[in-house]
Short mmCIF file of all heavy atoms in Angstrom, two decimals:
data_model
loop_
_atom_site.label_atom_id
_atom_site.label_comp_id
_atom_site.label_asym_id
_atom_site.label_seq_id
_atom_site.Cartn_x
_atom_site.Cartn_y
_atom_site.Cartn_z
N MET A 1 5.21 -52.85 -9.93
CA MET A 1 6.43 -52.66 -10.73
C MET A 1 6.21 -53.11 -12.18
O MET A 1 6.82 -52.59 -13.09
CB MET A 1 7.59 -53.44 -10.11
CG MET A 1 8.97 -52.95 -10.57
SD MET A 1 9.31 -51.25 -10.11
CE MET A 1 10.94 -51.06 -10.83
N ASP A 2 5.30 -54.09 -12.40
CA ASP A 2 5.02 -54.53 -13.76
C ASP A 2 4.52 -53.37 -14.62
O ASP A 2 4.86 -53.24 -15.78
CB ASP A 2 3.95 -55.63 -13.76
CG ASP A 2 4.45 -56.89 -13.07
OD1 ASP A 2 5.67 -57.03 -12.96
OD2 ASP A 2 3.62 -57.70 -12.65
N LYS A 3 3.72 -52.54 -13.99
CA LYS A 3 3.14 -51.40 -14.68
C LYS A 3 4.24 -50.46 -15.18
O LYS A 3 4.12 -49.86 -16.24
CB LYS A 3 2.22 -50.67 -13.69
CG LYS A 3 1.51 -49.46 -14.23
CD LYS A 3 0.49 -48.95 -13.19
CE LYS A 3 0.09 -47.51 -13.46
NZ LYS A 3 1.07 -46.53 -12.95
N PHE A 4 5.30 -50.40 -14.42
CA PHE A 4 6.40 -49.50 -14.77
C PHE A 4 6.88 -49.73 -16.20
O PHE A 4 7.16 -48.80 -16.94
CB PHE A 4 7.56 -49.72 -13.78
CG PHE A 4 8.73 -48.82 -14.01
CD1 PHE A 4 8.78 -47.57 -13.41
CD2 PHE A 4 9.78 -49.20 -14.83
CE1 PHE A 4 9.86 -46.73 -13.62
CE2 PHE A 4 10.87 -48.37 -15.04
CZ PHE A 4 10.91 -47.13 -14.43
N PHE A 5 6.97 -51.02 -16.59
CA PHE A 5 7.51 -51.33 -17.91
C PHE A 5 6.45 -51.37 -19.01
O PHE A 5 6.79 -51.34 -20.19
CB PHE A 5 8.25 -52.67 -17.86
CG PHE A 5 9.48 -52.60 -17.01
CD1 PHE A 5 9.50 -53.16 -15.75
CD2 PHE A 5 10.61 -51.93 -17.46
CE1 PHE A 5 10.63 -53.07 -14.95
CE2 PHE A 5 11.74 -51.84 -16.66
CZ PHE A 5 11.75 -52.41 -15.40
N SER A 6 5.19 -51.45 -18.61
CA SER A 6 4.15 -51.58 -19.63
C SER A 6 3.40 -50.28 -19.91
O SER A 6 2.84 -50.10 -20.98
CB SER A 6 3.14 -52.67 -19.23
OG SER A 6 2.54 -52.34 -18.00
N GLN A 7 3.40 -49.38 -18.96
CA GLN A 7 2.64 -48.15 -19.18
C GLN A 7 3.28 -47.28 -20.25
O GLN A 7 4.49 -47.36 -20.49
CB GLN A 7 2.49 -47.38 -17.88
CG GLN A 7 3.76 -46.72 -17.38
CD GLN A 7 3.53 -46.10 -16.01
OE1 GLN A 7 3.33 -46.79 -15.03
NE2 GLN A 7 3.52 -44.79 -15.95
N ARG A 8 2.46 -46.49 -20.93
CA ARG A 8 2.96 -45.72 -22.07
C ARG A 8 3.04 -44.23 -21.80
O ARG A 8 3.57 -43.48 -22.63
CB ARG A 8 2.05 -45.94 -23.28
CG ARG A 8 2.11 -47.39 -23.71
CD ARG A 8 1.26 -47.65 -24.90
NE ARG A 8 1.43 -49.03 -25.34
CZ ARG A 8 1.14 -49.47 -26.56
NH1 ARG A 8 0.67 -48.64 -27.44
NH2 ARG A 8 1.34 -50.72 -26.87
N THR A 9 2.48 -43.80 -20.70
CA THR A 9 2.50 -42.37 -20.43
C THR A 9 3.10 -42.07 -19.07
O THR A 9 3.02 -42.86 -18.13
CB THR A 9 1.08 -41.77 -20.50
OG1 THR A 9 0.23 -42.51 -19.63
CG2 THR A 9 0.54 -41.80 -21.92
N CYS A 10 3.70 -40.91 -18.98
CA CYS A 10 4.34 -40.43 -17.76
C CYS A 10 3.31 -40.23 -16.65
O CYS A 10 2.26 -39.63 -16.88
CB CYS A 10 5.04 -39.12 -18.10
SG CYS A 10 5.73 -38.25 -16.69
N ASP A 11 3.59 -40.74 -15.44
CA ASP A 11 2.68 -40.57 -14.31
C ASP A 11 2.53 -39.11 -13.92
O ASP A 11 1.54 -38.71 -13.33
CB ASP A 11 3.21 -41.33 -13.09
CG ASP A 11 2.90 -42.82 -13.17
OD1 ASP A 11 1.95 -43.19 -13.87
OD2 ASP A 11 3.63 -43.59 -12.51
N ARG A 12 3.51 -38.32 -14.21
CA ARG A 12 3.50 -36.94 -13.75
C ARG A 12 2.89 -35.97 -14.77
O ARG A 12 2.05 -35.18 -14.43
CB ARG A 12 4.92 -36.50 -13.39
CG ARG A 12 4.94 -35.18 -12.63
CD ARG A 12 6.19 -35.06 -11.81
NE ARG A 12 6.33 -36.21 -10.92
CZ ARG A 12 7.49 -36.59 -10.40
NH1 ARG A 12 8.59 -35.94 -10.66
NH2 ARG A 12 7.54 -37.63 -9.59
N CYS A 13 3.34 -36.04 -16.01
CA CYS A 13 2.85 -35.06 -16.98
C CYS A 13 1.94 -35.67 -18.04
O CYS A 13 1.35 -34.96 -18.84
CB CYS A 13 4.03 -34.34 -17.65
SG CYS A 13 4.95 -35.37 -18.80
N GLY A 14 1.84 -37.02 -18.04
CA GLY A 14 0.98 -37.67 -19.02
C GLY A 14 1.62 -37.77 -20.40
O GLY A 14 0.98 -38.20 -21.35
N GLY A 15 2.88 -37.39 -20.50
CA GLY A 15 3.56 -37.41 -21.78
C GLY A 15 3.95 -38.81 -22.22
O GLY A 15 3.91 -39.76 -21.44
N ASP A 16 4.30 -38.94 -23.47
CA ASP A 16 4.70 -40.21 -24.07
C ASP A 16 6.02 -40.70 -23.47
O ASP A 16 6.97 -39.92 -23.32
CB ASP A 16 4.87 -39.97 -25.58
CG ASP A 16 4.98 -41.27 -26.35
OD1 ASP A 16 5.04 -42.34 -25.71
OD2 ASP A 16 5.01 -41.21 -27.59
N LEU A 17 6.08 -41.99 -23.16
CA LEU A 17 7.31 -42.54 -22.57
C LEU A 17 8.22 -43.20 -23.60
O LEU A 17 9.19 -43.86 -23.25
CB LEU A 17 6.95 -43.58 -21.49
CG LEU A 17 6.38 -43.02 -20.19
CD1 LEU A 17 5.94 -44.17 -19.28
CD2 LEU A 17 7.39 -42.15 -19.47
N SER A 18 7.92 -43.01 -24.89
CA SER A 18 8.73 -43.67 -25.92
C SER A 18 10.17 -43.17 -25.91
O SER A 18 11.08 -43.85 -26.37
CB SER A 18 8.11 -43.49 -27.29
OG SER A 18 8.02 -42.12 -27.61
N GLY A 19 10.38 -41.97 -25.36
CA GLY A 19 11.73 -41.43 -25.32
C GLY A 19 12.54 -41.93 -24.14
O GLY A 19 13.70 -41.57 -23.98
N GLY A 20 11.92 -42.74 -23.29
CA GLY A 20 12.62 -43.26 -22.13
C GLY A 20 11.78 -43.09 -20.88
O GLY A 20 10.91 -42.22 -20.82
N ARG A 21 12.03 -43.92 -19.88
CA ARG A 21 11.28 -43.85 -18.61
C ARG A 21 12.23 -44.09 -17.47
O ARG A 21 13.26 -44.74 -17.63
CB ARG A 21 10.17 -44.89 -18.61
CG ARG A 21 10.67 -46.32 -18.52
CD ARG A 21 9.56 -47.30 -18.75
NE ARG A 21 9.04 -47.16 -20.11
CZ ARG A 21 7.83 -47.55 -20.50
NH1 ARG A 21 7.02 -48.11 -19.65
NH2 ARG A 21 7.44 -47.40 -21.73
N ILE A 22 11.89 -43.55 -16.33
CA ILE A 22 12.75 -43.73 -15.16
C ILE A 22 11.90 -43.57 -13.91
O ILE A 22 10.87 -42.89 -13.94
CB ILE A 22 13.93 -42.73 -15.21
CG1 ILE A 22 15.01 -43.11 -14.20
CG2 ILE A 22 13.45 -41.29 -14.99
CD1 ILE A 22 16.35 -42.47 -14.52
N MET A 23 12.33 -44.20 -12.84
CA MET A 23 11.61 -44.06 -11.57
C MET A 23 11.95 -42.72 -10.94
O MET A 23 13.10 -42.31 -10.94
CB MET A 23 12.02 -45.21 -10.64
CG MET A 23 11.39 -45.19 -9.27
SD MET A 23 9.67 -45.74 -9.25
CE MET A 23 9.89 -47.53 -9.41
N SER A 24 10.93 -42.06 -10.43
CA SER A 24 11.16 -40.81 -9.73
C SER A 24 12.06 -41.03 -8.52
O SER A 24 12.01 -42.09 -7.90
CB SER A 24 9.82 -40.24 -9.26
OG SER A 24 10.03 -39.18 -8.35
N MET A 25 12.86 -40.04 -8.18
CA MET A 25 13.69 -40.13 -6.98
C MET A 25 12.87 -39.76 -5.74
O MET A 25 13.26 -40.06 -4.62
CB MET A 25 14.88 -39.18 -7.13
CG MET A 25 15.93 -39.31 -6.05
SD MET A 25 16.68 -40.96 -5.97
CE MET A 25 17.90 -40.85 -7.28
N TYR A 26 11.71 -39.17 -5.95
CA TYR A 26 10.90 -38.67 -4.84
C TYR A 26 9.79 -39.61 -4.40
O TYR A 26 9.35 -39.59 -3.26
CB TYR A 26 10.27 -37.32 -5.21
CG TYR A 26 11.30 -36.22 -5.30
CD1 TYR A 26 12.01 -36.01 -6.47
CD2 TYR A 26 11.54 -35.40 -4.21
CE1 TYR A 26 12.97 -35.02 -6.56
CE2 TYR A 26 12.49 -34.41 -4.28
CZ TYR A 26 13.20 -34.21 -5.45
OH TYR A 26 14.14 -33.24 -5.53
N ASN A 27 9.29 -40.39 -5.35
CA ASN A 27 8.23 -41.34 -5.04
C ASN A 27 8.33 -42.48 -6.05
O ASN A 27 9.36 -42.62 -6.71
CB ASN A 27 6.86 -40.64 -5.06
CG ASN A 27 6.61 -39.91 -6.36
OD1 ASN A 27 7.08 -40.31 -7.43
ND2 ASN A 27 5.88 -38.81 -6.30
N THR A 28 7.29 -43.28 -6.17
CA THR A 28 7.40 -44.46 -7.03
C THR A 28 6.79 -44.25 -8.41
O THR A 28 6.50 -45.20 -9.11
CB THR A 28 6.72 -45.67 -6.34
OG1 THR A 28 5.36 -45.34 -6.07
CG2 THR A 28 7.42 -46.02 -5.05
N GLU A 29 6.60 -43.01 -8.79
CA GLU A 29 6.04 -42.73 -10.11
C GLU A 29 7.03 -43.09 -11.22
O GLU A 29 8.24 -42.95 -11.06
CB GLU A 29 5.68 -41.24 -10.23
CG GLU A 29 4.44 -40.87 -9.45
CD GLU A 29 4.14 -39.39 -9.52
OE1 GLU A 29 5.05 -38.60 -9.79
OE2 GLU A 29 2.99 -39.04 -9.31
N CYS A 30 6.46 -43.54 -12.34
CA CYS A 30 7.25 -43.79 -13.54
C CYS A 30 7.14 -42.52 -14.39
O CYS A 30 6.06 -42.15 -14.81
CB CYS A 30 6.67 -44.99 -14.28
SG CYS A 30 7.44 -45.29 -15.88
N ILE A 31 8.25 -41.88 -14.59
CA ILE A 31 8.19 -40.56 -15.25
C ILE A 31 9.07 -40.51 -16.50
O ILE A 31 9.95 -41.34 -16.69
CB ILE A 31 8.63 -39.44 -14.27
CG1 ILE A 31 10.05 -39.69 -13.75
CG2 ILE A 31 7.64 -39.34 -13.11
CD1 ILE A 31 10.58 -38.55 -12.88
N CYS A 32 8.80 -39.51 -17.33
CA CYS A 32 9.57 -39.34 -18.56
C CYS A 32 10.89 -38.63 -18.23
O CYS A 32 11.07 -38.09 -17.14
CB CYS A 32 8.77 -38.54 -19.59
SG CYS A 32 8.48 -36.81 -19.17
N LEU A 33 11.79 -38.63 -19.19
CA LEU A 33 13.11 -38.07 -18.94
C LEU A 33 13.07 -36.56 -18.72
O LEU A 33 13.91 -36.00 -18.02
CB LEU A 33 14.06 -38.42 -20.09
CG LEU A 33 14.28 -39.94 -20.30
CD1 LEU A 33 15.33 -40.18 -21.37
CD2 LEU A 33 14.66 -40.64 -19.01
N GLU A 34 12.08 -35.91 -19.30
CA GLU A 34 11.94 -34.47 -19.10
C GLU A 34 11.53 -34.18 -17.64
O GLU A 34 12.08 -33.28 -17.01
CB GLU A 34 10.90 -33.91 -20.08
CG GLU A 34 10.58 -32.43 -19.91
CD GLU A 34 11.78 -31.51 -20.13
OE1 GLU A 34 12.80 -31.96 -20.71
OE2 GLU A 34 11.70 -30.35 -19.71
N CYS A 35 10.61 -34.98 -17.11
CA CYS A 35 10.22 -34.80 -15.71
C CYS A 35 11.39 -35.13 -14.79
O CYS A 35 11.59 -34.49 -13.76
CB CYS A 35 9.02 -35.68 -15.37
SG CYS A 35 7.46 -35.06 -16.05
N LYS A 36 12.18 -36.13 -15.18
CA LYS A 36 13.36 -36.50 -14.40
C LYS A 36 14.35 -35.33 -14.37
O LYS A 36 14.91 -34.99 -13.33
CB LYS A 36 14.02 -37.74 -15.01
CG LYS A 36 15.29 -38.17 -14.34
CD LYS A 36 15.06 -38.61 -12.90
CE LYS A 36 16.38 -38.93 -12.22
NZ LYS A 36 16.15 -39.40 -10.84
N ARG A 37 14.52 -34.72 -15.54
CA ARG A 37 15.44 -33.59 -15.61
C ARG A 37 14.99 -32.47 -14.67
O ARG A 37 15.79 -31.85 -13.98
CB ARG A 37 15.51 -33.07 -17.05
CG ARG A 37 16.62 -32.06 -17.29
CD ARG A 37 16.60 -31.51 -18.71
NE ARG A 37 15.38 -30.79 -19.03
CZ ARG A 37 15.09 -29.56 -18.56
NH1 ARG A 37 15.93 -28.92 -17.78
NH2 ARG A 37 13.95 -28.98 -18.88
N LYS A 38 13.67 -32.24 -14.64
CA LYS A 38 13.14 -31.21 -13.74
C LYS A 38 13.38 -31.57 -12.28
O LYS A 38 13.65 -30.70 -11.46
CB LYS A 38 11.64 -31.02 -14.00
CG LYS A 38 11.38 -30.23 -15.27
CD LYS A 38 9.89 -30.09 -15.51
CE LYS A 38 9.63 -29.48 -16.89
NZ LYS A 38 8.29 -29.79 -17.38
N GLU A 39 13.29 -32.87 -11.97
CA GLU A 39 13.56 -33.30 -10.59
C GLU A 39 14.99 -32.95 -10.19
O GLU A 39 15.24 -32.48 -9.09
CB GLU A 39 13.39 -34.82 -10.45
CG GLU A 39 11.99 -35.27 -10.24
CD GLU A 39 11.91 -36.72 -9.74
OE1 GLU A 39 12.93 -37.43 -9.78
OE2 GLU A 39 10.81 -37.11 -9.31
N THR A 40 15.91 -33.21 -11.11
CA THR A 40 17.32 -32.99 -10.76
C THR A 40 17.61 -31.51 -10.54
O THR A 40 18.63 -31.17 -9.94
CB THR A 40 18.27 -33.53 -11.85
OG1 THR A 40 18.07 -32.82 -13.06
CG2 THR A 40 18.05 -35.01 -12.08
N GLU A 41 16.72 -30.66 -11.00
CA GLU A 41 16.93 -29.21 -10.82
C GLU A 41 16.30 -28.70 -9.53
O GLU A 41 16.46 -27.54 -9.17
CB GLU A 41 16.35 -28.46 -12.01
CG GLU A 41 17.18 -28.69 -13.27
CD GLU A 41 16.56 -28.04 -14.50
OE1 GLU A 41 15.42 -27.57 -14.41
OE2 GLU A 41 17.24 -28.03 -15.53
N ARG A 42 15.56 -29.57 -8.84
CA ARG A 42 14.93 -29.16 -7.59
C ARG A 42 15.99 -28.96 -6.50
O ARG A 42 16.99 -29.67 -6.45
CB ARG A 42 13.93 -30.22 -7.12
CG ARG A 42 12.67 -30.27 -7.97
CD ARG A 42 11.87 -31.49 -7.62
NE ARG A 42 11.53 -31.53 -6.21
CZ ARG A 42 10.30 -31.24 -5.72
NH1 ARG A 42 9.33 -30.96 -6.54
NH2 ARG A 42 10.07 -31.29 -4.44
N ALA A 43 15.71 -28.02 -5.62
CA ALA A 43 16.66 -27.70 -4.55
C ALA A 43 16.87 -28.88 -3.62
O ALA A 43 17.94 -29.04 -3.03
CB ALA A 43 16.15 -26.50 -3.76
N ASP A 44 15.85 -29.74 -3.48
CA ASP A 44 15.97 -30.85 -2.54
C ASP A 44 16.33 -32.16 -3.22
O ASP A 44 16.21 -33.22 -2.63
CB ASP A 44 14.68 -30.99 -1.72
CG ASP A 44 13.45 -31.23 -2.60
OD1 ASP A 44 13.58 -31.14 -3.85
OD2 ASP A 44 12.38 -31.49 -2.05
N TYR A 45 16.79 -32.12 -4.46
CA TYR A 45 17.11 -33.36 -5.17
C TYR A 45 18.21 -34.14 -4.47
O TYR A 45 18.15 -35.35 -4.35
CB TYR A 45 17.51 -33.07 -6.62
CG TYR A 45 17.77 -34.34 -7.40
CD1 TYR A 45 16.70 -35.10 -7.87
CD2 TYR A 45 19.06 -34.81 -7.62
CE1 TYR A 45 16.91 -36.28 -8.55
CE2 TYR A 45 19.28 -36.00 -8.29
CZ TYR A 45 18.21 -36.73 -8.77
OH TYR A 45 18.43 -37.90 -9.43
N LYS A 46 19.23 -33.45 -4.02
CA LYS A 46 20.35 -34.10 -3.34
C LYS A 46 19.87 -34.84 -2.09
O LYS A 46 20.28 -35.96 -1.83
CB LYS A 46 21.40 -33.04 -2.96
CG LYS A 46 22.77 -33.62 -2.75
CD LYS A 46 23.83 -32.51 -2.84
CE LYS A 46 25.20 -33.07 -2.51
NZ LYS A 46 25.48 -33.08 -1.06
N ALA A 47 18.97 -34.21 -1.35
CA ALA A 47 18.42 -34.83 -0.15
C ALA A 47 17.62 -36.08 -0.52
O ALA A 47 17.70 -37.11 0.16
CB ALA A 47 17.53 -33.84 0.59
N ALA A 48 16.87 -35.99 -1.60
CA ALA A 48 16.07 -37.13 -2.05
C ALA A 48 16.97 -38.28 -2.47
O ALA A 48 16.73 -39.43 -2.13
CB ALA A 48 15.18 -36.71 -3.22
N ALA A 49 18.06 -37.95 -3.19
CA ALA A 49 18.99 -38.97 -3.66
C ALA A 49 19.71 -39.62 -2.47
O ALA A 49 19.91 -40.83 -2.44
CB ALA A 49 20.00 -38.36 -4.62
N GLU A 50 20.09 -38.80 -1.49
CA GLU A 50 20.76 -39.30 -0.30
C GLU A 50 19.86 -40.25 0.48
O GLU A 50 20.28 -41.30 0.93
CB GLU A 50 21.16 -38.13 0.61
CG GLU A 50 22.52 -37.54 0.28
CD GLU A 50 23.65 -38.56 0.42
OE1 GLU A 50 23.75 -39.19 1.49
OE2 GLU A 50 24.40 -38.73 -0.54
N ALA A 51 18.59 -39.86 0.65
CA ALA A 51 17.63 -40.66 1.40
C ALA A 51 17.42 -41.99 0.70
O ALA A 51 17.32 -43.04 1.34
CB ALA A 51 16.31 -39.91 1.53
N ASP A 52 17.38 -41.95 -0.63
CA ASP A 52 17.20 -43.17 -1.43
C ASP A 52 18.39 -44.10 -1.24
O ASP A 52 18.24 -45.30 -1.04
CB ASP A 52 17.03 -42.77 -2.89
CG ASP A 52 16.60 -43.94 -3.76
OD1 ASP A 52 15.44 -44.39 -3.58
OD2 ASP A 52 17.39 -44.41 -4.58
N LYS A 53 19.58 -43.54 -1.30
CA LYS A 53 20.82 -44.30 -1.16
C LYS A 53 20.88 -44.94 0.23
O LYS A 53 21.20 -46.12 0.37
CB LYS A 53 22.00 -43.35 -1.36
CG LYS A 53 23.36 -44.02 -1.42
CD LYS A 53 24.39 -43.07 -2.03
CE LYS A 53 25.81 -43.44 -1.64
NZ LYS A 53 26.25 -42.86 -0.36
N LYS A 54 20.55 -44.17 1.25
CA LYS A 54 20.56 -44.68 2.63
C LYS A 54 19.58 -45.82 2.80
O LYS A 54 19.89 -46.81 3.46
CB LYS A 54 20.20 -43.55 3.60
CG LYS A 54 21.37 -42.64 3.92
CD LYS A 54 21.25 -42.09 5.35
CE LYS A 54 22.41 -41.15 5.66
NZ LYS A 54 22.24 -39.84 5.00
N ALA A 55 18.40 -45.68 2.21
CA ALA A 55 17.38 -46.72 2.34
C ALA A 55 17.90 -48.02 1.74
O ALA A 55 17.74 -49.09 2.33
CB ALA A 55 16.10 -46.28 1.64
N ILE A 56 18.54 -47.93 0.58
CA ILE A 56 19.08 -49.13 -0.08
C ILE A 56 20.20 -49.73 0.75
O ILE A 56 20.28 -50.95 0.92
CB ILE A 56 19.54 -48.79 -1.52
CG1 ILE A 56 18.30 -48.52 -2.38
CG2 ILE A 56 20.37 -49.92 -2.11
CD1 ILE A 56 18.59 -47.88 -3.72
N GLU A 57 21.05 -48.88 1.32
CA GLU A 57 22.12 -49.37 2.19
C GLU A 57 21.55 -50.11 3.40
O GLU A 57 22.16 -51.04 3.91
CB GLU A 57 22.99 -48.19 2.67
CG GLU A 57 23.97 -47.73 1.60
CD GLU A 57 24.65 -46.41 1.96
OE1 GLU A 57 24.39 -45.86 3.05
OE2 GLU A 57 25.43 -45.94 1.13
N ASN A 58 20.37 -49.67 3.83
CA ASN A 58 19.72 -50.31 4.97
C ASN A 58 18.89 -51.52 4.55
O ASN A 58 18.17 -52.09 5.36
CB ASN A 58 18.83 -49.30 5.70
CG ASN A 58 19.66 -48.24 6.42
OD1 ASN A 58 20.79 -48.50 6.81
ND2 ASN A 58 19.10 -47.06 6.58
N GLY A 59 18.96 -51.85 3.27
CA GLY A 59 18.24 -53.02 2.80
C GLY A 59 16.78 -52.77 2.46
O GLY A 59 16.01 -53.69 2.23
N ASP A 60 16.39 -51.51 2.45
CA ASP A 60 15.00 -51.17 2.15
C ASP A 60 14.84 -50.89 0.66
O ASP A 60 14.90 -49.76 0.21
CB ASP A 60 14.57 -49.95 2.98
CG ASP A 60 13.11 -49.59 2.74
OD1 ASP A 60 12.41 -50.35 2.05
OD2 ASP A 60 12.68 -48.54 3.25
N PHE A 61 14.61 -51.95 -0.11
CA PHE A 61 14.50 -51.79 -1.55
C PHE A 61 13.11 -51.35 -1.99
O PHE A 61 12.87 -51.09 -3.16
CB PHE A 61 14.91 -53.08 -2.26
CG PHE A 61 16.35 -53.43 -2.03
CD1 PHE A 61 16.71 -54.41 -1.13
CD2 PHE A 61 17.36 -52.73 -2.70
CE1 PHE A 61 18.06 -54.72 -0.89
CE2 PHE A 61 18.69 -53.02 -2.47
CZ PHE A 61 19.04 -54.02 -1.56
N ASN A 62 12.21 -51.28 -1.04
CA ASN A 62 10.87 -50.81 -1.36
C ASN A 62 10.65 -49.37 -0.89
O ASN A 62 9.54 -48.91 -0.75
CB ASN A 62 9.81 -51.71 -0.71
CG ASN A 62 9.81 -53.09 -1.34
OD1 ASN A 62 9.83 -53.21 -2.55
ND2 ASN A 62 9.82 -54.11 -0.52
N TYR A 63 11.75 -48.70 -0.68
CA TYR A 63 11.67 -47.31 -0.22
C TYR A 63 10.83 -46.47 -1.17
O TYR A 63 10.99 -46.54 -2.39
CB TYR A 63 13.09 -46.74 -0.14
CG TYR A 63 13.16 -45.33 0.36
CD1 TYR A 63 12.68 -45.02 1.63
CD2 TYR A 63 13.69 -44.31 -0.42
CE1 TYR A 63 12.74 -43.73 2.10
CE2 TYR A 63 13.75 -43.02 0.04
CZ TYR A 63 13.28 -42.72 1.31
OH TYR A 63 13.33 -41.44 1.76
N LYS A 64 9.95 -45.66 -0.60
CA LYS A 64 9.00 -44.90 -1.42
C LYS A 64 9.46 -43.48 -1.75
O LYS A 64 8.76 -42.74 -2.42
CB LYS A 64 7.65 -44.81 -0.68
CG LYS A 64 7.03 -46.16 -0.40
CD LYS A 64 6.25 -46.67 -1.62
CE LYS A 64 5.46 -47.92 -1.33
NZ LYS A 64 6.19 -49.15 -1.70
N GLY A 65 10.62 -43.10 -1.25
CA GLY A 65 11.08 -41.74 -1.53
C GLY A 65 10.61 -40.75 -0.50
O GLY A 65 9.77 -41.06 0.34
N ILE A 66 11.13 -39.56 -0.57
CA ILE A 66 10.81 -38.54 0.44
C ILE A 66 9.50 -37.85 0.13
O ILE A 66 8.99 -37.07 0.91
CB ILE A 66 11.94 -37.49 0.59
CG1 ILE A 66 12.13 -36.68 -0.69
CG2 ILE A 66 13.24 -38.16 1.02
CD1 ILE A 66 13.06 -35.48 -0.51
N GLY A 67 8.95 -38.06 -1.05
CA GLY A 67 7.71 -37.40 -1.42
C GLY A 67 7.98 -36.12 -2.18
O GLY A 67 9.08 -35.59 -2.16
N LEU A 68 6.97 -35.65 -2.85
CA LEU A 68 7.13 -34.50 -3.74
C LEU A 68 6.57 -33.22 -3.15
O LEU A 68 5.77 -32.54 -3.77
CB LEU A 68 6.41 -34.76 -5.06
CG LEU A 68 7.23 -35.13 -6.29
CD1 LEU A 68 6.29 -35.19 -7.49
CD2 LEU A 68 8.33 -34.13 -6.56
N GLU A 69 6.98 -32.91 -1.95
CA GLU A 69 6.49 -31.65 -1.38
C GLU A 69 7.15 -30.48 -2.09
O GLU A 69 8.18 -30.64 -2.74
CB GLU A 69 6.81 -31.57 0.11
CG GLU A 69 5.88 -32.38 0.97
CD GLU A 69 6.50 -33.74 1.31
OE1 GLU A 69 7.65 -33.75 1.75
OE2 GLU A 69 5.82 -34.76 1.12
N THR A 70 6.58 -29.32 -1.96
CA THR A 70 7.18 -28.13 -2.55
C THR A 70 8.56 -27.96 -1.95
O THR A 70 8.73 -28.03 -0.74
CB THR A 70 6.33 -26.89 -2.20
OG1 THR A 70 5.00 -27.19 -2.57
CG2 THR A 70 6.82 -25.68 -2.95
N PRO A 71 9.57 -27.78 -2.80
CA PRO A 71 10.92 -27.64 -2.27
C PRO A 71 11.06 -26.42 -1.36
O PRO A 71 10.43 -25.39 -1.58
CB PRO A 71 11.79 -27.50 -3.50
CG PRO A 71 10.89 -27.32 -4.65
CD PRO A 71 9.51 -27.70 -4.24
N LYS A 72 11.90 -26.58 -0.35
CA LYS A 72 12.17 -25.45 0.53
C LYS A 72 12.97 -24.41 -0.23
O LYS A 72 13.78 -24.74 -1.08
CB LYS A 72 12.98 -25.91 1.75
CG LYS A 72 12.25 -26.90 2.62
CD LYS A 72 13.20 -27.37 3.73
CE LYS A 72 12.90 -28.80 4.13
NZ LYS A 72 13.62 -29.79 3.33
N ASN A 73 12.77 -23.19 0.12
CA ASN A 73 13.58 -22.13 -0.50
C ASN A 73 15.02 -22.29 -0.05
O ASN A 73 15.28 -22.57 1.09
CB ASN A 73 13.06 -20.76 -0.09
CG ASN A 73 11.68 -20.50 -0.68
OD1 ASN A 73 11.39 -20.94 -1.79
ND2 ASN A 73 10.86 -19.80 0.06
N SER A 74 15.90 -22.15 -0.98
CA SER A 74 17.32 -22.26 -0.60
C SER A 74 18.14 -21.30 -1.45
O SER A 74 17.67 -20.79 -2.44
CB SER A 74 17.83 -23.68 -0.78
OG SER A 74 17.72 -24.04 -2.14
ZN1 ZN B 1 6.67 -36.43 -17.68
#
């Protein structure tokens, strides 16, 4: 988690994080806001967000996310 605040480039696209950083909803990558925006447009984003919420409700704060598989067609 220390790396999250010190790293300067996006884990996903390698872009500059000076514009902001956020944890992926799908895994533990530290990503830029543009990659985050793309995540929210994925068909399975709601499922990922729900799974994350459930994990936290269950006390699992180290939840790793559902993973970044290719979204199902919907
Ligand atoms: Zn990025």
Side-chain angles (χ1 to χ4, degrees):
M1 199 62 181
D2 294 340
K3 181 173 161 279
F4 182 88
F5 294 105
S6 60
Q7 72 185 69
R8 296 181 176 200
T9 54
C10 173
D11 280 337
R12 192 156 305 158
C13 71
D16 193 354
L17 288 174
S18 60
R21 70 189 64 202
I22 193 160
M23 179 76 76
S24 168
M25 188 60 82
Y26 290 85
N27 54 32
T28 58
E29 286 177 337
C30 174
I31 59 175
C32 68
L33 299 185
E34 176 61 17
C35 285
K36 176 65 185 181
R37 190 183 62 74
K38 284 179 188 158
E39 277 195 348
T40 63
E41 289 175 351
R42 288 169 57 104
D44 58 353
Y45 183 77
K46 202 161 175 274
E50 273 299 307
D52 190 68
K53 188 163 158 274
K54 279 211 181 76
I56 289 167
E57 281 169 2
N58 290 332
D60 182 7
F61 296 102
N62 292 313
Y63 182 60
K64 300 276 188 265
I66 64 170
L68 256 186
E69 282 98 49
T70 308
K72 297 175 212 88
N73 292 326
S74 61

